[in-house]
Amino acid sequence: MGEFKVHRVRFFDYMPSAIRAMAFNRQSERLAVARADGAVEIFNFSDNYFQEKVIPGQDSRAVEALCWVDQRLFSGGLNGEITEYDLENLKPRYTVAAYGGPIWTISSNNQGTMLALGCEDGTVKMFEVLAEKVQFQRNFDRQKGRIISLSWHPSGTLIAAGMMDMIRVFDAETGHATHRLLVERGVGASKSREVVVWSVAFLSDHTIISGDSAGKVQIWDGVTGTLLRTHLVTKWDVLALSVSQDQSSLVAGTSEGTVIQFQLISSTVGQQDKEWVRTRTFKNHSHDVRALAHTETAVVSGGMDTQLVVRPLLDKVEKNTQESSLRKIVFPHRSLVCCAKKAGLLLFQFPEHLELWRLGESEGHGKPGDSLTVKTKPEKLIQLKRKGEDHICCSALSPCGGWMAYSTVSSVRLYRLQYNNNNIGITKVSRLPKDLCSVHQLCFSSDSSKLFASSSHSSVIVVALNQQECTYLHTLKPKSSSRQPVHLLFASEDGKWLATANTDCEIHIYNLDKLKLHCTVPVYSSYPTAIAIHPLTSNLVVVHADQQIFEYSLEKKEYTEWSRKLQKLGLHSLWLERDTPVTHITFNSRNPAHIILHDMFMFCIIDQSLPLPEAKTLLYNQMTLRSVPEPERIRHSHAFKICKNFQVWSSH
Amino acid sequence: MAALYEGYTLCGLVPAQNLSHSGIQGIEQERDSDHVVVTDSTRSVTLYKVSDQKPLGSWTVKQGQSLVCSAVFNSQTKEYVAVSDNRVIRIWKEEDILLDKAFKATVSSDVWRVHCVHGGEPVVLFQRGAVRLLDSLLSAPQQPIEEILVQEEAIRWSTNIVAETQQFVIFTTEQKGDHFLYLQRLNPNTLQRYRLEREEPGLGPLSFSASYRDKHIHLLYLYPNGHVYQSVVSVRGLGTEEGTQALPLPRSLLLSLPVGEGLLEAASAMVLDEAHVAVVGVPHPSAGAGKDFLCIWNTNFQTLQAGKEMAGKIYGQLWCYSNKLFIPHGKTLSVIPFVCPKSSLASALGKLKQAKTEESKAPASVPSWNNILHGEKAQPSRTVETRKTRMSRKTQSTPSLTTDQVLELIKTAPVEDVEKEVEGLLSRSDIQDLQPSVGQLVSVLVSRSLTDPAFYTPSTLAQLVHTQCLCHSVCPDLVLLALEKKDYFLCQLCLQFFPDIPEAVTCACLKAFISMPDTDAEKASLDPDSVSFMETLISRERGQVGLQNGFSPTSYDEDRSDALSGGGDVIKTGAEDKKTTTAPSELICPMGLHKAVLLNEVLQTAYSDNFLLPHLKDLSSQHVVLFLQYLQFLYLKYSQDAFPQMHGLRSPSLTQIMDWVCLVLDAHFTVLVMTPEAKGLLLNLHSFVKSQVRLVSELGKIEGSLQELNKMKVNKDVGQYSIEIIELF
């Protein structure tokens, strides 16, 4: 098959941000996750937990709580504002000040008509949810301490509020407090410290469940206001609670990194009276669990250690299926690295800045398995800090290395890079076409003469670049009426084609010579996670979130023979069981039959000339092939050459 | 093992200002072991009831007068005798209130001390060495008193001993750094003078203690450098002539106590019995340099048996009356009960060596070699007392017998009574408290059983063995007695719990077990755990054939198809008849269940090859073949089945089985080679050895590859950046 020279780059110092809040939308099976840097991510649980949308953060926005109202997503933060997000354009739609100091919690009633906010100044504020905005309605009786947590009774008539040292129950109609439940402080030294009720849950049978900073999960009778049961679960804080939809199971996240499940079961078999019994403890986090979601089949948890953990409840899923395996989502499901092949440059995208590196060079040759001596070390050429409050949402580097662009939700910046000997000149291109203001994805053409930027309604703006200026050329629009953003762009090597993929799973091919839509690939139900067009055959290769691979001939406008064969045979089960999406596809210039693709843990070279692996074949067969003598290899080899030596962000 | 119990305070002290002196002159026994007379260093004498910690009477001489020695109690006349102002002898009774009104007599020479052994006549020892019986002195108080000691010679210590019928006054003197021992016999009077060997220059004995046993007087003395010497003087050999010449006194070093930093200052050693010495004012060997300890040492084994830290200053004073030590320390006089049971090697290994394991196991039971060598206890203690028994003990109100009474009872009472009382005693007290007496109980029971063939208490003995406070050396006849009485359950218990069964006894058991008829064995009720282990082993079907432990039953069948036919049917055993056609004979247990259980017990005892071999040779060839067949059966079972589920049950290990196979072969190889019946067996065993060799060589290979793997695994330090060549196939 062949030898490859691999640059193992470990200086991309990307650090994901801690998870602050979470909200699960049961209808659409979308999980919204807010991170400490203000970014909000949407995961699609029905499509292999793919991270389908990312709304970049903002310096001033610290999201403390998230809340779905139907398909609308609201957040409240320590800046005291309510934000509704525009999930089509991946940016905040509007913000409304609540005038109550930092907002600690936000909660909507079951009917989706009201939002209740818990504020620092001790008020519970009610906002009415209108079609286009939210409108302040009134304040509840003001309390002495801050309101840390809120939970509506499913009927919408009562609200439980967790505060310092107590829980208040409010009548949602009158705004008066009806009950005061005193929460006991911790023992010992913490006796003198106020206990914080970090989380409350109000169940339909008027049971109130609270989690507090003294490590207790307490069950209260909301009708009489009496304490029914105390479970001391940790020495530290119980930070988050989440109740299953049928209200028979409850999870509590602690600052020890554990998630503890309680279930409503009768203590003795056959008896009617059920009680909350501590059943399971999950330990998948190294630090505080700040946010929890209880889905139908799993417990989703996130916290300071930045990873999102989906822990299936084994009594709810079928054993030994893909659904029953634990999933940890550590890194973004999109590429934050851009590579200028010809120039040997790498562009790293951070929320705050960009880094441009030149790869090192090696000398001589080596045997497989060797590390070559690095003649010139990699060099950081530019660290470019972004301007403004908004975090970077996408970036691109031209293949020649002469252009660099990034975008935030509010603006696009384009830079001209010039290299003479060891000096790098960077010049901002000052006058950009005004259409180029809010884009979701950037991409340069292979000859670096054009910049493609995806914009609203799945359109793509084409901008022509020459020495000093850039001019607007055209806006490519799909025939469909999709309002979803384009999240993948790929310009073919020969400059003829541009492929786009949007979050409606549509893939459009544009002919760049004619600047018009060439065709639309039949829509497949799963998200495309990576697309690429073969430089010689002009076949489009698409990999989806469910790990399926398709090859589509642009000329014939149909799936290729190989693709059909692959679909007919089916992909190997081990391939389908991988839990990170393929984020990048490229091709081997020396062998046109090679498709190179990678996910987080491996890269794979698909040799289209070799037979496909069947269900019984060993998928990860490189070790076997290495150990058998040359003539026998052909018997064992198959199309998928997988190398797991590296964790992969990008490949070219 | 000797033990010190929790002490209690008898009275407070008024020590001298500089704490140089405890303020107590002496303690003497009064009418019985529970009453003592305490004389303080100035003017008063107090009578105490020890168990009540309460004074019963006190007498004081007038201000200005002083007592020169401790008052004694003359149990014949029920009178107290004391000496005040050097020459005034005072005698009074308990009912006398004022000492001044009591009898007084002034003698013509200064008195050193009055001594009176319990039941004996008081003796007066004058400062210049003369001795008078009190009666004869009082008949003529002003009689002239001769001078025995030369100028500059002064008495340092004295005591009074009754040997058989003879009364002795023993005292030591010091003259210019030389120390002498005087042995004064009364009626007829003889005096013998000995010179003590010199220790390092400048060191004089700190304390003396004398005892009489086996017609010899044993003198024990402690030097400041921690050496404890013993000198033995025969009572018989005392010359009748007045020896003016000081004989050299031979001595032997009994103990060399750790002294820590510097020399001992206030310390004292006291003989408790032939093997035990109580020492006060000497550091505890494992507790640093502090000297405020009371310790009991075993002189035979040089081991520390018990130690106790005493709060406050130790004055180097120590008295001992009937298993109670009286020790002044700080500002109190404490009474500390102790026991010194007869010691055995196992129990004498002592606390010093046990120190590190002591914490881990709750009841201080007999130390086993395992504990000492490997520091961990293999078996959990089974004598965990339940709350219930403790409760029932507390609520028991019927008068119960003490250990001593039970011991007496065992010697004469019928079996039922003995069983009842011993059981009662066991349930009443903590095993730990009882530990010393368990040994006594068993020895008395065993000796009664040996002398009286009708007397045997199996359940009581089993119960006592179960306490785990016993070892073989405490009751050397127990195992053989059990064998004689065919009490196989007791044998099993002994084999299980005794850490120190001699190889001869192990072999005797082995012989008895092999030769006994199966019917006898099945009658015995044995430890259910070990029985159930054997049951599972025997009942298990021949499982799937696999290569386990490097041994493949298939290849072994091929190896010796001839051996099967040759060896299988020659040896006639009971089990042979049960042979079925499905399983080969090797997989049928060659003996009954219970017999096998007992043999397993033998396999698990500790032994040393050298000591075991000569005894093994005594087995008859018939028995050897049977035993080897059994071992072969065990080996096959172990090799054939995976054994994880057997954990927790007491069972011999594969290594133990192999070791016994080797031992038996070693002992009887020539005989076996000549025995035609054994041919098949030997061939089988040969194949076992082969398979073991194969296993070891396979393990060697694995070890080699694992080591290579280890070398390979040296993690390349991947830096921030590297360019690597990979090859995909």
Side-chain angles (χ1 to χ4, degrees):
Chain A
M1 170 95 183
E3 284 181 23
F4 298 85
K5 209 192 257 187
V6 180
H7 292 253
R8 191 193 279 262
V9 172
R10 289 159 59 90
F11 45 79
F12 181 27
D13 257 339
Y14 179 79
M15 179 66 197
S17 186
I19 292 175
R20 267 292 155 76
M22 229 183 244
F24 186 65
N25 189 327
R26 291 183 208 278
Q27 284 117 50
S28 62
E29 292 202 60
R30 300 292 201 279
L31 179 79
V33 171
R35 296 200 181 254
D37 64 358
V40 173
E41 296 164 7
I42 312 286
F43 291 85
N44 187 345
F45 274 40
S46 57
D47 192 10
N48 219 357
Y49 309 97
F50 184 65
Q51 185 191 40
E52 62 177 26
K53 284 170 190 175
V54 177
I55 300 163
Q58 198 183 40
D59 281 349
S60 62
R61 189 172 62 217
V63 177
E64 200 63 31
L66 281 175
C67 177
W68 288 96
V69 177
D70 288 335
Q71 300 308 313
R72 295 165 71 180
L73 183 66
F74 294 89
S75 79
L78 296 182
N79 58 0
E81 288 171 345
I82 312 171
T83 304
E84 185 182 351
Y85 294 94
D86 181 348
L87 296 178
E88 286 162 2
N89 289 310
L90 305 184
K91 60 185 183 184
R93 176 177 286 165
Y94 57 85
T95 57
V96 175
Y99 301 107
I103 297 171
W104 288 99
T105 176
I106 183 166
S107 174
S108 78
N109 60 357
N110 259 7
Q111 295 71 31
T113 54
M114 295 296 245
L115 276 182
L117 267 59
C119 298
E120 175 73 19
D121 69 351
T123 53
V124 175
K125 291 177 187 292
M126 300 296 281
F127 278 77
E128 197 176 350
V129 182
L130 303 175
E132 287 301 318
K133 57 176 182 173
V134 290
Q135 192 168 47
F136 175 74
Q137 202 199 34
R138 63 199 188 94
N139 281 335
F140 282 5
D141 293 352
R142 182 155 173 183
Q143 304 298 317
K144 264 196 184 133
R146 61 180 71 129
I147 310 285
I148 298 291
S149 48
L150 283 175
S151 179
W152 285 81
H153 186 262
S155 68
T157 53
L158 292 169
I159 297 181
M163 305 172 57
M164 313 301 285
D165 283 336
M166 68 172 95
I167 300 163
R168 288 263 184 194
V169 181
F170 292 96
D171 187 319
E173 298 294 319
T174 62
H176 298 311
T178 60
H179 277 300
R180 194 178 69 148
L181 318 179
L182 287 179
V183 179
E184 208 180 322
R185 292 184 180 183
V187 287
S190 53
K191 188 93 195 162
S192 56
R193 279 207 307 270
E194 285 181 306
V195 58
V196 186
V197 180
W198 286 118
S199 187
V200 286
F202 209 151
L203 308 187
S204 39
D205 63 353
H206 288 273
T207 302
I208 297 174
I209 296 164
S210 67
D212 60 48
S213 63
K216 305 190 294 284
V217 171
Q218 292 186 310
I219 321 286
W220 308 80
D221 183 334
V223 179
T224 58
T226 49
L227 179 65
L228 296 179
R229 185 77 202 268
T230 298
H231 295 273
L232 188 64
V233 297
T234 170
K235 271 191 246 172
W236 316 108
D237 295 31
V238 176
L239 293 172
L241 290 175
S242 181
V243 183
S244 68
Q245 192 172 22
D246 60 2
Q247 302 193 346
S248 68
S249 169
L250 161 85
V251 284
T254 72
S255 55
E256 283 175 312
T258 51
V259 173
I260 293 145
Q261 190 192 7
F262 295 84
Q263 279 171 291
L264 187 64
I265 44 181
S266 49
S267 49
T268 39
V269 179
Q271 245 174 28
Q272 281 302 306
D273 48 339
K274 294 186 171 183
E275 58 179 327
W276 287 97
V277 180
R278 179 177 169 162
T279 51
R280 272 176 278 203
T281 303
F282 308 118
K283 173 93 176 103
N284 296 309
H285 293 276
S286 57
H287 292 73
D288 305 25
V289 175
R290 288 288 302 258
L292 276 177
H294 197 312
T295 70
E296 203 76 339
T297 57
V299 176
V300 188
S301 54
M304 299 302 286
D305 64 358
T306 76
Q307 46 187 342
L308 188 69
V309 175
V310 183
R311 168 80 201 211
L313 294 168
L314 291 180
D315 49 350
K316 301 277 172 59
V317 295
E318 209 172 306
K319 269 177 202 147
N320 299 325
T321 59
Q322 217 181 336
E323 208 188 8
S324 69
S325 59
L326 177 83
R327 223 173 243 257
K328 287 192 177 187
I329 300 166
V330 185
F331 291 113
H333 286 167
R334 62 206 167 111
S335 189
L336 298 178
V337 179
C338 193
C339 177
K341 270 185 261 189
K342 295 167 194 158
L345 297 174
L346 290 179
L347 180 70
F348 300 147
Q349 176 191 325
F350 297 83
E352 308 281 325
H353 68 273
L354 298 174
E355 281 180 16
L356 184 68
W357 287 74
R358 178 185 282 140
L359 284 174
E361 283 171 50
S362 60
E363 72 188 347
H365 298 278
K367 290 196 308 293
D370 282 358
S371 281
L372 301 177
T373 37
V374 178
K375 192 173 69 186
T376 46
K377 286 192 173 166
E379 189 185 359
K380 192 202 272 191
L381 303 177
I382 293 171
Q383 173 157 341
L384 182 69
K385 216 175 156 331
R386 63 164 165 85
K387 288 278 189 293
E389 276 208 311
D390 294 314
H391 295 182
I392 297 171
C393 71
C394 62
S395 60
L397 182 66
S398 68
C400 65
W403 298 90
M404 182 166 90
Y406 77 82
S407 169
T408 66
V409 293
S410 53
S411 65
V412 177
R413 279 161 205 270
L414 178 67
Y415 297 89
R416 178 94 180 102
L417 300 174
Q418 275 153 326
Y419 310 84
N420 33 30
N421 299 327
N422 284 327
N423 295 330
I424 299 115
I426 175 162
T427 343
K428 185 175 173 241
V429 180
S430 51
R431 295 177 49 169
L432 292 180
K434 61 177 186 301
D435 304 73
L436 213 56
C437 61
S438 172
V439 305
H440 307 128
Q441 198 59 252
L442 289 165
C443 170
F444 288 95
S445 65
S446 64
D447 60 357
S448 304
S449 68
K450 290 191 189 79
L451 172 66
F452 306 106
S454 73
S455 185
S456 54
H457 299 109
S458 294
S459 63
V460 177
I461 298 163
V462 185
V463 175
L465 307 171
N466 53 40
Q467 269 320 94
Q468 280 309 318
E469 54 166 13
C470 65
T471 45
Y472 170 82
L473 274 184
H474 188 71
T475 299
L476 299 168
K477 285 188 181 150
K479 283 214 181 81
S480 73
S481 56
S482 171
R483 302 174 58 85
Q484 293 295 326
V486 163
H487 65 286
L488 294 173
L489 278 177
F490 188 91
S492 69
E493 193 95 338
D494 56 12
K496 194 175 171 193
W497 308 106
L498 178 73
T500 69
N502 70 12
T503 30
D504 267 341
C505 303
E506 297 171 344
I507 298 171
H508 301 288
I509 312 293
Y510 298 96
N511 186 327
L512 292 176
D513 297 338
K514 299 177 186 160
L515 285 176
K516 67 177 230 197
L517 186 69
H518 172 69
C519 64
T520 298
V521 180
V523 174
Y524 180 67
S525 59
S526 179
Y527 282 98
T529 64
I531 54 175
I533 297 167
H534 197 285
L536 300 178
T537 61
S538 292
N539 288 339
L540 173 76
V541 179
V542 187
V543 183
H544 293 269
D546 64 357
Q547 311 294 359
Q548 289 294 339
I549 305 169
F550 293 97
E551 191 186 34
Y552 185 81
S553 166
L554 299 186
E555 278 155 19
K556 295 181 186 164
K557 298 190 185 177
E558 61 178 27
Y559 287 119
T560 63
E561 199 54 39
W562 183 81
S563 185
R564 288 169 202 275
K565 211 166 70 186
L566 183 65
Q567 286 307 312
K568 209 166 159 189
L569 185 66
L571 278 149
H572 196 277
S573 60
L574 288 179
W575 177 270
L576 296 173
E577 277 166 24
R578 291 175 310 109
D579 60 0
T580 54
V582 167
T583 49
H584 215 172
I585 302 169
T586 186
F587 303 93
N588 186 356
S589 51
R590 285 179 290 173
N591 188 338
H594 287 180
I595 305 169
I596 305 173
L597 38 80
H598 75 84
D599 67 10
M600 213 64 81
F601 298 104
M602 60 100 211
F603 76 83
C604 172
I605 297 180
I606 299 176
D607 189 335
Q608 289 179 297
S609 64
L610 285 176
L612 293 165
E614 296 191 32
K616 282 183 198 148
T617 358
L618 191 66
L619 183 70
Y620 301 107
N621 65 348
Q622 286 297 313
M623 287 283 269
T624 323
L625 291 177
R626 181 163 303 147
S627 62
V628 299
E630 181 92 46
E632 267 195 62
R633 279 187 196 146
I634 192 74
R635 267 201 315 124
H636 292 279
S637 56
H638 57 72
F640 285 68
K641 318 282 184 192
I642 296 167
C643 171
K644 294 178 104 174
N645 296 359
F646 314 97
Q647 285 205 6
V648 193
W649 276 95
S650 179
S651 69
H652 284 281
Chain B
M1 200 160 73
L4 289 166
Y5 295 118
E6 199 53 47
Y8 46 89
T9 303
L10 188 62
C11 63
L13 300 178
V14 187
Q17 284 281 296
N18 55 357
L19 289 176
S20 59
H21 189 262
S22 68
I24 287 189
Q25 189 136 219
I27 299 171
E28 294 286 333
Q29 191 174 355
E30 212 243 15
R31 66 199 82 159
D32 59 20
S33 60
D34 203 22
H35 290 77
V36 291
V37 184
V38 177
T39 309
D40 76 10
S41 52
T42 51
R43 299 192 298 136
S44 58
V45 176
T46 315
L47 168 66
Y48 285 98
K49 185 161 175 7
V50 178
S51 54
D52 289 354
Q53 298 164 254
K54 167 171 110 178
L56 300 178
S58 180
W59 300 272
T60 312
V61 294
K62 267 194 194 156
Q63 191 118 34
Q65 298 176 336
S66 67
L67 297 169
V68 287
C69 64
S70 62
V72 297
F73 179 72
N74 183 346
S75 55
Q76 288 174 349
T77 59
K78 307 272 193 290
E79 285 171 335
Y80 301 94
V81 182
V83 179
S84 67
D85 300 321
N86 291 332
R87 292 190 178 194
V88 183
I89 296 177
R90 291 158 178 268
I91 299 175
W92 74 97
K93 292 207 173 215
E94 196 182 349
E95 51 270 22
D96 295 334
I97 297 165
L98 290 173
L99 214 48
D100 281 333
K101 291 184 182 165
F103 174 83
K104 265 184 269 192
T106 308
V107 293
S108 60
S109 178
D110 285 356
V111 174
W112 164 255
R113 265 198 82 164
V114 183
H115 285 289
C116 182
V117 289
H118 196 71
E121 201 183 329
V123 188
V124 181
L125 171 63
F126 289 92
Q127 283 192 359
R128 304 313 306 153
V131 175
R132 293 283 188 282
L133 283 169
L134 183 64
D135 276 357
S136 67
L137 181 64
L138 291 181
S139 61
Q142 286 299 316
Q143 63 184 269
I145 304 294
E146 70 277 7
E147 291 210 351
I148 307 287
L149 305 185
V150 295
Q151 284 274 292
E152 296 173 327
E153 187 174 6
I155 299 180
R156 290 284 170 251
W157 167 85
S158 65
T159 190
N160 181 17
I161 273 182
V162 175
E164 286 155 15
T165 53
Q166 289 285 315
Q167 196 167 5
F168 288 88
V169 174
I170 304 166
F171 57 96
T172 61
T173 63
E174 184 184 359
Q175 182 197 6
K176 295 178 188 161
D178 280 328
H179 290 265
F180 298 94
L181 171 73
Y182 287 81
L183 221 58
Q184 170 79 57
R185 183 166 65 175
L186 298 161
N187 285 340
N189 287 13
T190 54
L191 180 65
Q192 190 64 56
R193 183 171 185 240
Y194 298 92
R195 177 197 296 274
L196 299 190
E197 268 181 67
R198 283 204 170 200
E199 190 65 9
E200 294 166 45
L203 295 188
L206 275 178
S207 82
F208 292 91
S209 168
S211 58
Y212 171 81
R213 61 177 183 267
D214 300 340
K215 303 188 172 59
H216 287 85
I217 289 172
H218 296 248
L219 183 73
L220 185 90
Y221 39 110
L222 167 71
Y223 281 94
N225 57 7
H227 290 177
V228 178
Y229 291 100
Q230 178 175 255
S231 295
V232 181
V233 183
S234 168
V235 191
R236 289 268 170 80
L238 280 178
T240 41
E241 79 277 16
E242 297 275 305
T244 45
Q245 191 64 37
L247 301 171
L249 184 65
R251 68 178 188 183
S252 56
L253 182 63
L254 208 56
L255 278 176
S256 189
L257 299 172
V259 294
E261 297 148 9
L263 295 171
L264 303 176
E265 281 162 0
S268 164
M270 169 161 279
V271 180
L272 299 178
D273 64 18
E274 63 236 51
H276 293 94
V277 174
V279 181
V280 73
V282 177
H284 192 283
S286 52
K291 294 196 169 88
D292 35 5
F293 280 93
L294 169 64
C295 297
I296 297 182
W297 287 79
N298 184 309
T299 54
N300 291 344
F301 305 116
Q302 307 266 325
T303 52
L304 179 64
Q305 300 271 299
K308 198 179 194 68
E309 187 167 10
M310 308 306 299
K313 158 127 183 140
I314 295 270
Y315 305 98
Q317 286 178 306
L318 186 65
W319 292 271
C320 171
Y321 295 107
S322 63
N323 282 351
K324 288 187 196 74
L325 288 166
F326 294 79
I327 169 170
H329 61 101
K331 290 192 173 176
T332 48
L333 171 64
S334 285
V335 182
I336 297 172
F338 70 95
V339 284
C340 288
K342 197 177 161 211
S343 45
S344 60
L345 177 62
S347 64
L349 282 164
K351 287 206 171 171
L352 185 56
K353 290 191 173 173
Q354 258 185 295
K356 63 175 188 275
T357 55
E358 204 177 13
E359 291 168 346
S360 60
K361 49 177 181 122
S365 57
V366 181
S368 79
W369 288 105
N370 263 343
N371 287 354
I372 293 153
L373 296 177
H374 308 299
E376 60 181 40
K377 187 141 177 85
Q379 310 166 347
S381 165
R382 298 193 185 185
T383 54
V384 184
E385 73 171 343
T386 61
R387 177 174 301 235
K388 204 172 153 193
T389 63
R390 226 180 293 141
M391 291 289 286
S392 67
R393 188 196 309 151
K394 276 184 188 156
T395 51
Q396 221 159 27
S397 55
T398 47
S400 45
L401 301 180
T402 65
T403 311
D404 293 335
Q405 286 167 318
V406 174
L407 285 175
E408 278 308 308
L409 187 92
I410 290 173
K411 288 178 186 159
T412 51
V415 174
E416 294 76 26
D417 291 3
V418 170
E419 284 182 343
K420 194 175 129 231
E421 286 307 326
V422 175
E423 202 165 307
L425 187 69
L426 283 178
S427 65
R428 274 199 300 279
S429 29
D430 248 341
I431 292 302
Q432 200 158 6
D433 298 344
L434 209 60
Q435 196 200 335
S437 34
V438 169
Q440 288 173 317
L441 285 170
V442 172
S443 350
V444 177
L445 280 170
V446 169
S447 60
R448 168 101 192 264
S449 304
L450 286 174
T451 50
D452 177 1
F455 179 89
Y456 187 61
T457 53
S459 61
T460 311
L461 285 172
Q463 205 179 357
L464 285 166
V465 174
H466 249 306
T467 60
Q468 299 195 33
C469 298
L470 282 177
C471 58
H472 185 267
S473 40
V474 167
C475 45
D477 299 324
L478 179 61
V479 183
L480 295 176
L481 173 74
L483 277 182
E484 192 186 306
K485 299 281 182 186
K486 299 197 171 164
D487 184 353
Y488 297 118
F489 179 54
L490 185 61
C491 284
Q492 191 190 17
L493 285 184
C494 293
L495 287 170
Q496 258 183 39
F497 292 129
F498 288 1
D500 56 345
I501 293 187
E503 283 78 356
V505 177
T506 312
C507 252
C509 289
L510 174 64
K511 211 164 157 182
F513 295 159
I514 292 191
S515 55
M516 72 179 166
D518 266 328
T519 45
D520 268 18
E522 299 310 317
K523 276 182 225 154
S525 68
L526 299 174
D527 176 37
D529 265 12
S530 46
V531 174
S532 74
F533 164 75
M534 263 327 278
E535 269 173 351
T536 348
L537 197 68
I538 291 175
S539 69
R540 190 174 298 185
E541 291 288 306
R542 186 187 162 114
Q544 80 221 51
V545 175
L547 197 69
Q548 252 156 27
N549 222 342
F551 176 76
S552 149
T554 5
S555 64
Y556 130 96
D557 282 345
E558 286 161 13
D559 283 356
R560 296 158 299 96
S561 46
D562 61 329
L564 277 176
S565 53
D569 51 357
V570 183
I571 302 133
K572 298 291 174 208
T573 63
E576 195 68 18
D577 305 329
K578 290 183 231 157
K579 178 173 171 181
T580 59
T581 46
T582 47
S585 63
E586 287 84 354
L587 285 169
I588 292 174
C589 185
M591 54 189 66
L593 175 68
H594 281 197
K595 212 163 153 176
V597 168
L598 288 169
L599 282 180
N600 283 353
E601 223 52 72
V602 172
L603 296 184
Q604 289 167 80
T605 49
Y607 61 85
S608 145
D609 298 7
N610 291 339
F611 296 128
L612 193 62
L613 267 180
H615 300 291
L616 267 183
K617 290 194 193 231
D618 293 346
L619 291 176
S620 74
S621 69
Q622 204 67 17
H623 289 156
V624 167
V625 172
L626 180 58
F627 188 39
L628 278 178
Q629 278 179 329
Y630 177 64
L631 290 170
Q632 171 191 330
F633 161 77
L634 280 183
Y635 176 84
L636 282 176
K637 278 289 181 187
Y638 273 50
S639 324
Q640 169 199 310
D641 304 315
F643 248 31
Q645 62 271 58
M646 283 306 191
H647 286 308
L649 292 182
R650 212 178 124 77
S651 56
S653 69
L654 189 62
T655 340
Q656 279 168 334
I657 296 167
M658 283 314 278
D659 286 348
W660 273 93
V661 168
C662 296
L663 271 172
V664 176
L665 286 179
D666 277 352
H668 290 275
F669 191 68
T670 39
V671 179
L672 287 170
V673 169
M674 305 295 284
T675 317
E677 297 97 318
K679 188 188 163 206
L681 197 60
L682 285 179
L683 283 169
N684 284 356
L685 293 173
H686 175 66
S687 79
F688 300 166
V689 174
K690 242 166 62 184
S691 70
Q692 287 290 323
V693 168
R694 209 182 315 154
L695 170 69
V696 169
S697 82
E698 291 297 324
L699 284 176
K701 281 185 213 161
I702 294 173
E703 191 189 14
S705 358
L706 286 178
Q707 269 171 357
E708 278 307 305
L709 210 64
N710 229 1
K711 279 182 209 158
M712 276 165 56
K713 272 280 173 182
V714 176
N715 233 339
K716 282 183 288 178
D717 180 33
V718 185
Q720 288 268 292
Y721 182 70
S722 60
I723 302 172
E724 294 166 28
I725 305 282
I726 62 158
E727 188 178 18
L728 292 179
F729 298 96

